Amino acid sequence: MTRTRKSVGRITFVGAGPGDPGLLTRRAWDALTEADHIVYDRGVPEALLSVLRSAVVPETEDVHGPEFSPAEGVPGDVAKVLLSAARSGLRAVHLVTGDPFGHDSVVKEVQAVARTAVPFEVVPGVGQASGVATYAGVPLGTARTTVDVDDVATLDFEALAAAVARGGLAVAVDAGDLGQIRDGLLAAGVEGSSPIAVTGDGTGETQYTTASVVDSFVEAALGFSGRVVLTLGHGVKERDKLGWWENRPLYGWKVLVPRTKEQAGVMSAKLRAYGAIPCEVPTIAVEPPRTPAQMERAIKGLVDGRYAWVVFTSVNAVRAVWEKFAEHGLDARHFGGVKIACIGEATADAVRAFGIQPELVPTGEQSSDGLLTEFAPFDEVLDPVGRVLLPRADIATETLAAGLTERGWEVDDVTAYRTVRAAPPPADIRDAIKSGGFDAVLFTSSSTVRNLVGIAGKPHARTVVAVIGPKTSDTATEFGLRVDVQPDHAAVPDLVEALAQYAVELRDKLAAMPAKQRRGSKVQGPTALRFR
């Protein structure tokens, strides 16, 4: 009788780094996204876990994603959980902060697994102490010492004092142990006047660094919780110039992003790159037209050569046409002979994603008026076909259709999709909108203005209002909002860039104010608060 040997899984110890999801290595990401069971340390930030869950949890109910569970008990208990999963044929991962071998407890887990026949690997991560020091803008030099502390009682303070004398030292420790660290450093001969920086929520959205001296850094760090990183040495003096993470233009700004659910992610990613904390509030839901007959005829007309041009005014319009193409088994080849115009670069990028290069994108104002300025009038000799397809939202204005008609074109103005008002956001979001809890709000269309006010109320007067273009600006003004920011080109990257530039100018203006005037300034937001 032949016995079938049960397959054995694998155990991977993964270093999560200091907390910023962007610091996960490619190897770590692959191990996590392929895992069946993920055991995570309680010190792993929720922001990182949230990114991970969104990447690995499937949307379909019939497909199961990995199981997530916190690491509980002593190293031997965690090792048993991992071994049990692996012996059941699963790929088990223990996700730890910093680097796996920076924790004595994880080293003991690896040793326990190594005594078995279960295959394992260890994926290194950016050490918490060294990673946070870099994000805080404190260069430690080549003669550096970095320590991720699990138990303060095991520290050799004489060695730490020697490290400070040689160059730079970074220590990751629980905030509750700061008093012991201070006493140990002073007892080991570190001067009480030596500069030291304390960083909380290292590499996170609310990272904050305070500079002090060894004698008084515990008091300076009151209010810090969780893991903090202490940096000592000559590099601390460089922090003001090199502290790039906390000095990004929109660092700490809470920014409201009222867009469709599908489109908010692009803007949020760009805001995070500038240091902002975006809050996505869907204000519009995109739905198919009530009667599909118009779109069906339009798609047939495209294939039959009925149109000379297709004019796209939004990414949603592009998506609606391509979804219809997919329903009928069509692809980009069926656009042969049809020219494409796009109202702006974002819409043009959506067209390019399907392998087609638009013939016309306004080089000036990216709006209906800007497109009409550059759209050639119909010529009976040069244009054998005189009809234009304009697929758009049910609530779009008539400006573009009327302008094309004036230029001699026959326009099929087709409802490609409907925009309906989304459900109101939770009560705490509504309260924050009305009370000034958001530092800025970014509007990308007139409908986002109308719908946000409709479902949540008007943003507070202290909230910076940024709009993507003149039409949106007009609508915001109609609703009594003060428009502070408008980019030269109506595109999401330009809108975020314009807000970042506004923040820089605001910060410079406040920095130039006398201290008394600064304290009395009515300017709100994180940029103002940093100078108070």
Side-chain angles (χ1 to χ4, degrees), residues 197-225:
V198 186
T199 303
D201 188 30
T203 77
E205 290 181 328
T206 57
Q207 173 182 304
Y208 181 72
T209 303
T210 181
S212 184
V213 293
V214 173
D215 271 337
S216 58
F217 77 86
V218 177
E219 291 77 10
L222 285 176
F224 282 46
S225 61

Short mmCIF file of all heavy atoms in Angstrom, two decimals, residues 197-225:
data_model
loop_
_atom_site.label_atom_id
_atom_site.label_comp_id
_atom_site.label_asym_id
_atom_site.label_seq_id
_atom_site.Cartn_x
_atom_site.Cartn_y
_atom_site.Cartn_z
N ALA A 197 17.11 63.90 20.13
CA ALA A 197 15.80 64.07 19.49
C ALA A 197 14.94 62.86 19.80
O ALA A 197 15.44 61.73 19.87
CB ALA A 197 15.95 64.24 17.97
N VAL A 198 13.66 63.11 20.02
CA VAL A 198 12.71 62.03 20.29
C VAL A 198 11.64 62.07 19.20
O VAL A 198 11.03 63.12 18.95
CB VAL A 198 12.04 62.18 21.67
CG1 VAL A 198 11.17 60.96 21.96
CG2 VAL A 198 13.09 62.39 22.75
N THR A 199 11.41 60.93 18.55
CA THR A 199 10.44 60.86 17.46
C THR A 199 9.37 59.83 17.78
O THR A 199 9.68 58.67 18.09
CB THR A 199 11.13 60.45 16.13
OG1 THR A 199 12.16 61.39 15.83
CG2 THR A 199 10.13 60.43 14.98
N GLY A 200 8.12 60.29 17.73
CA GLY A 200 6.99 59.39 17.94
C GLY A 200 6.27 59.11 16.63
O GLY A 200 6.37 59.89 15.67
N ASP A 201 5.56 58.00 16.56
CA ASP A 201 4.86 57.55 15.35
C ASP A 201 5.81 57.60 14.15
O ASP A 201 5.48 58.11 13.08
CB ASP A 201 3.62 58.41 15.07
CG ASP A 201 2.77 57.85 13.93
OD1 ASP A 201 2.77 56.62 13.75
OD2 ASP A 201 2.13 58.64 13.21
N GLY A 202 7.00 57.05 14.33
CA GLY A 202 8.02 57.11 13.30
C GLY A 202 7.57 56.58 11.96
O GLY A 202 7.00 55.48 11.88
N THR A 203 7.80 57.33 10.90
CA THR A 203 7.44 57.07 9.50
C THR A 203 5.93 57.05 9.28
O THR A 203 5.48 56.71 8.19
CB THR A 203 8.04 55.75 8.96
OG1 THR A 203 7.31 54.62 9.43
CG2 THR A 203 9.52 55.61 9.32
N GLY A 204 5.15 57.43 10.28
CA GLY A 204 3.70 57.44 10.15
C GLY A 204 3.18 58.79 9.70
O GLY A 204 3.92 59.77 9.55
N GLU A 205 1.87 58.87 9.51
CA GLU A 205 1.23 60.11 9.04
C GLU A 205 1.36 61.24 10.04
O GLU A 205 1.31 62.42 9.68
CB GLU A 205 -0.24 59.86 8.73
CG GLU A 205 -0.50 59.00 7.52
CD GLU A 205 -1.98 58.82 7.25
OE1 GLU A 205 -2.76 58.80 8.23
OE2 GLU A 205 -2.37 58.68 6.08
N THR A 206 1.49 60.88 11.33
CA THR A 206 1.57 61.92 12.36
C THR A 206 2.92 61.90 13.08
O THR A 206 3.00 62.25 14.26
CB THR A 206 0.43 61.76 13.38
OG1 THR A 206 0.49 60.45 13.96
CG2 THR A 206 -0.93 61.94 12.70
N GLN A 207 3.96 61.45 12.38
CA GLN A 207 5.29 61.47 12.99
C GLN A 207 5.58 62.87 13.54
O GLN A 207 5.30 63.88 12.89
CB GLN A 207 6.35 61.09 11.96
CG GLN A 207 7.78 61.26 12.47
CD GLN A 207 8.82 60.92 11.42
OE1 GLN A 207 8.82 59.82 10.88
NE2 GLN A 207 9.72 61.86 11.12
N TYR A 208 6.17 62.90 14.73
CA TYR A 208 6.52 64.20 15.32
C TYR A 208 7.84 64.05 16.07
O TYR A 208 8.03 63.10 16.83
CB TYR A 208 5.43 64.68 16.27
CG TYR A 208 5.74 66.04 16.87
CD1 TYR A 208 5.67 67.19 16.07
CD2 TYR A 208 6.14 66.17 18.19
CE1 TYR A 208 5.97 68.43 16.61
CE2 TYR A 208 6.44 67.41 18.72
CZ TYR A 208 6.36 68.54 17.93
OH TYR A 208 6.66 69.77 18.44
N THR A 209 8.74 65.00 15.83
CA THR A 209 10.06 64.97 16.46
C THR A 209 10.26 66.21 17.31
O THR A 209 9.96 67.33 16.87
CB THR A 209 11.17 64.90 15.39
OG1 THR A 209 10.97 63.76 14.56
CG2 THR A 209 12.54 64.82 16.04
N THR A 210 10.72 65.99 18.52
CA THR A 210 11.05 67.11 19.39
C THR A 210 12.52 67.03 19.77
O THR A 210 13.04 65.94 20.05
CB THR A 210 10.17 67.11 20.66
OG1 THR A 210 10.50 68.24 21.47
CG2 THR A 210 10.35 65.85 21.47
N ALA A 211 13.21 68.15 19.72
CA ALA A 211 14.63 68.19 20.06
C ALA A 211 14.80 68.70 21.48
O ALA A 211 14.09 69.61 21.93
CB ALA A 211 15.39 69.09 19.08
N SER A 212 15.73 68.12 22.20
CA SER A 212 15.96 68.50 23.59
C SER A 212 17.40 68.15 23.95
O SER A 212 18.26 68.03 23.07
CB SER A 212 14.96 67.78 24.50
OG SER A 212 15.09 68.21 25.84
N VAL A 213 17.66 67.98 25.25
CA VAL A 213 18.96 67.52 25.73
C VAL A 213 18.71 66.33 26.66
O VAL A 213 17.58 66.10 27.11
CB VAL A 213 19.74 68.63 26.47
CG1 VAL A 213 20.13 69.74 25.51
CG2 VAL A 213 18.92 69.17 27.63
N VAL A 214 19.76 65.59 26.94
CA VAL A 214 19.60 64.37 27.72
C VAL A 214 18.96 64.64 29.07
O VAL A 214 18.12 63.87 29.56
CB VAL A 214 20.95 63.65 27.88
CG1 VAL A 214 20.83 62.46 28.83
CG2 VAL A 214 21.47 63.20 26.52
N ASP A 215 19.31 65.75 29.71
CA ASP A 215 18.76 66.07 31.04
C ASP A 215 17.24 66.18 31.02
O ASP A 215 16.58 65.79 31.99
CB ASP A 215 19.34 67.40 31.54
CG ASP A 215 20.63 67.19 32.32
OD1 ASP A 215 20.83 66.08 32.84
OD2 ASP A 215 21.43 68.15 32.39
N SER A 216 16.66 66.71 29.96
CA SER A 216 15.24 67.08 30.00
C SER A 216 14.39 66.45 28.89
O SER A 216 13.25 66.86 28.70
CB SER A 216 15.10 68.61 29.93
OG SER A 216 15.72 69.12 28.76
N PHE A 217 14.91 65.48 28.16
CA PHE A 217 14.13 64.96 27.03
C PHE A 217 12.89 64.19 27.47
O PHE A 217 11.93 64.09 26.71
CB PHE A 217 15.01 64.10 26.10
CG PHE A 217 15.30 62.72 26.60
CD1 PHE A 217 14.41 61.67 26.35
CD2 PHE A 217 16.46 62.43 27.29
CE1 PHE A 217 14.68 60.38 26.79
CE2 PHE A 217 16.74 61.15 27.74
CZ PHE A 217 15.84 60.12 27.49
N VAL A 218 12.89 63.65 28.67
CA VAL A 218 11.70 62.92 29.13
C VAL A 218 10.52 63.87 29.25
O VAL A 218 9.40 63.56 28.83
CB VAL A 218 11.98 62.22 30.48
CG1 VAL A 218 10.70 61.54 30.99
CG2 VAL A 218 13.10 61.21 30.33
N GLU A 219 10.76 65.05 29.82
CA GLU A 219 9.69 66.03 29.94
C GLU A 219 9.27 66.55 28.57
O GLU A 219 8.09 66.79 28.31
CB GLU A 219 10.16 67.21 30.81
CG GLU A 219 10.36 66.89 32.28
CD GLU A 219 11.67 66.14 32.54
OE1 GLU A 219 12.51 66.04 31.62
OE2 GLU A 219 11.84 65.64 33.67
N ALA A 220 10.24 66.71 27.67
CA ALA A 220 9.92 67.20 26.33
C ALA A 220 9.07 66.20 25.55
O ALA A 220 8.34 66.59 24.63
CB ALA A 220 11.22 67.49 25.55
N ALA A 221 9.14 64.94 25.92
CA ALA A 221 8.40 63.90 25.20
C ALA A 221 7.11 63.50 25.89
O ALA A 221 6.52 62.47 25.56
CB ALA A 221 9.29 62.67 25.02
N LEU A 222 6.64 64.32 26.84
CA LEU A 222 5.37 64.02 27.50
C LEU A 222 4.25 63.96 26.45
O LEU A 222 4.15 64.82 25.58
CB LEU A 222 5.05 65.09 28.54
CG LEU A 222 5.84 65.03 29.85
CD1 LEU A 222 5.48 66.21 30.75
CD2 LEU A 222 5.59 63.71 30.58
N GLY A 223 3.42 62.96 26.55
CA GLY A 223 2.35 62.79 25.57
C GLY A 223 2.68 61.78 24.50
O GLY A 223 1.79 61.30 23.79
N PHE A 224 3.97 61.45 24.35
CA PHE A 224 4.34 60.41 23.39
C PHE A 224 3.92 59.05 23.94
O PHE A 224 3.97 58.81 25.14
CB PHE A 224 5.85 60.40 23.16
CG PHE A 224 6.35 61.49 22.24
CD1 PHE A 224 5.91 62.80 22.38
CD2 PHE A 224 7.26 61.21 21.26
CE1 PHE A 224 6.37 63.81 21.55
CE2 PHE A 224 7.73 62.20 20.41
CZ PHE A 224 7.28 63.50 20.55
N SER A 225 3.52 58.16 23.05
CA SER A 225 3.10 56.82 23.48
C SER A 225 3.60 55.79 22.48
O SER A 225 4.05 56.14 21.39
CB SER A 225 1.57 56.74 23.61
OG SER A 225 0.96 57.00 22.36
#
